[in-house]
Amino acid sequence: MRKLIKILEVNIDRLNMKQAVERVRELSADHSQSSLVVTPNSEMLALAAEDRELARILNSADLATADGIGVVIASKIMGEPLEERVAGFDLVSLLFKELAAEDINFYFLGGKPGVVDMAVANLKSDYPELTISGYHHGYLDRKNQQQVIAEINQKNIDLLLVGMGVPLQEKFLDNNLKKLNVGAAITVGGSFDVLAGEVERAPLWMQKAALEWFYRLLQEPSRFGRMLALPKFIYLVIKAKFFGGK
């Protein structure tokens, strides 16, 4: 039985990182249905408050982790504090480490042409035993989308990582997951950029101090507009908690 907290009408699983890794492991091993794993952060939840289709997709997921300190803060405001954040990049990094020696088959879909290739090369260098059976950039037209789906189905993938940005990746999987023979698909946002070395993560002390957003802003000043989603998100949570969303 899943233990959930609802934040802005979106379900978030009450799991710590270790439990989330185990849950993804279970879902990826079960090919009776293709399971969906999403990693909502504050920006995504603020968007879902306006985009009801995105909210529906997030609520259809088999696992939704709290990706970001903003979601943890929101859980405290709601009076149901989450144990810790379960960031998508940290989750998949642990999956690579723990599943490298296991018979788990990965496929990567997303990123700019060339970026996902470099991400795969770096991962194979770090984890030689990791089974990555295929990969493709995220710029899909109707023809190559059909080709990618056919390739994934031919290779009997256990864990599909999709990094196309929000909400494109969620809507892509909503439209196509039933066509895919995978154990589980997980949305990973810009993780391929980090794995490829195109984007550098914040130092650990900044991650722990909840300043990772600021580090990203220093790297990419063009993200300033997106950063405004955090105060908007906290405002919406306070409004929902104390004024019933009115």
Side-chain angles (χ1 to χ4, degrees):
M1 176 74 82
R2 291 174 70 186
K3 296 181 180 179
L4 302 168
I5 175 177
K6 193 175 288 290
I7 298 177
L8 298 184
E9 300 304 314
V10 172
N11 292 323
I12 304 293
D13 283 85
R14 301 181 63 88
L15 295 175
N16 59 30
M17 182 64 77
K18 181 179 179 180
Q19 293 167 330
V21 168
E22 186 55 37
R23 181 62 179 147
V24 175
R25 186 199 300 265
E26 292 171 357
L27 293 172
S28 65
D30 182 4
H31 282 251
S32 64
Q33 65 174 7
S34 298
S35 298
L36 175 62
V37 179
V38 294
T39 57
N41 60 16
S42 54
E43 181 182 352
M44 193 186 307
L45 292 174
L47 180 60
E50 300 175 352
D51 185 340
R52 301 318 298 168
E53 181 185 7
L54 176 59
R56 175 190 61 77
I57 295 168
L58 296 177
N59 280 329
S60 74
D62 300 277
L63 174 63
T65 70
D67 182 351
I69 194 63
V71 183
V72 176
I73 292 171
S75 72
K76 294 177 180 178
I77 293 171
M78 299 302 294
E80 300 181 66
L82 293 165
E83 183 176 342
E84 62 179 343
R85 75 170 187 156
V86 181
F89 183 83
D90 296 331
L91 175 59
V92 295
S93 296
L94 276 172
L95 287 167
F96 297 145
K97 182 178 180 180
E98 295 199 9
L99 302 182
E102 298 185 18
D103 189 22
I104 299 293
N105 203 5
F106 288 84
Y107 192 102
F108 293 175
L109 175 60
K112 296 177 182 178
V115 168
V116 71
D117 309 61
M118 183 59 68
V120 169
N122 289 342
L123 277 171
K124 287 185 174 180
S125 175
D126 292 339
Y127 303 104
E129 296 180 314
L130 191 67
T131 305
I132 303 174
S133 294
Y135 54 91
H136 196 282
H137 63 74
Y139 289 75
L140 303 179
D141 56 27
R142 181 175 296 181
K143 181 179 179 181
N144 62 16
Q145 178 172 301
Q146 292 174 343
Q147 292 172 341
V148 166
I149 289 173
E151 180 183 8
I152 290 170
N153 288 338
Q154 288 169 1
K155 295 188 174 181
N156 197 33
I157 300 299
D158 297 303
L159 192 54
L160 168 65
L161 276 60
V162 180
M164 298 177 175
V166 179
L168 182 59
Q169 59 194 10
E170 288 78 17
K171 294 184 178 182
F172 170 83
L173 286 172
D174 186 58
N175 291 329
N176 294 290
L177 194 55
K178 290 183 179 179
K179 305 174 190 175
L180 292 166
N181 174 26
V182 299
I186 178 170
T187 57
V188 298
S191 293
F192 297 144
D193 292 324
V194 181
L195 292 169
E198 294 290 307
V199 174
E200 185 179 349
R201 283 201 83 190
L204 186 58
W205 72 265
M206 293 189 79
Q207 295 179 40
K208 291 182 177 180
L211 290 173
E212 191 166 10
W213 62 272
F214 183 64
Y215 189 81
R216 288 293 301 275
L217 182 60
L218 292 176
Q219 285 187 302
E220 303 173 68
S222 61
R223 292 175 62 90
F224 178 75
R226 293 177 58 182
M227 295 300 177
L228 295 177
L230 179 55
K232 177 183 177 181
F233 168 68
I234 296 300
Y235 164 75
L236 290 173
V237 171
I238 292 172
K239 186 179 176 184
K241 171 64 175 177
F242 297 104
F243 301 102
K246 299 180 180 180

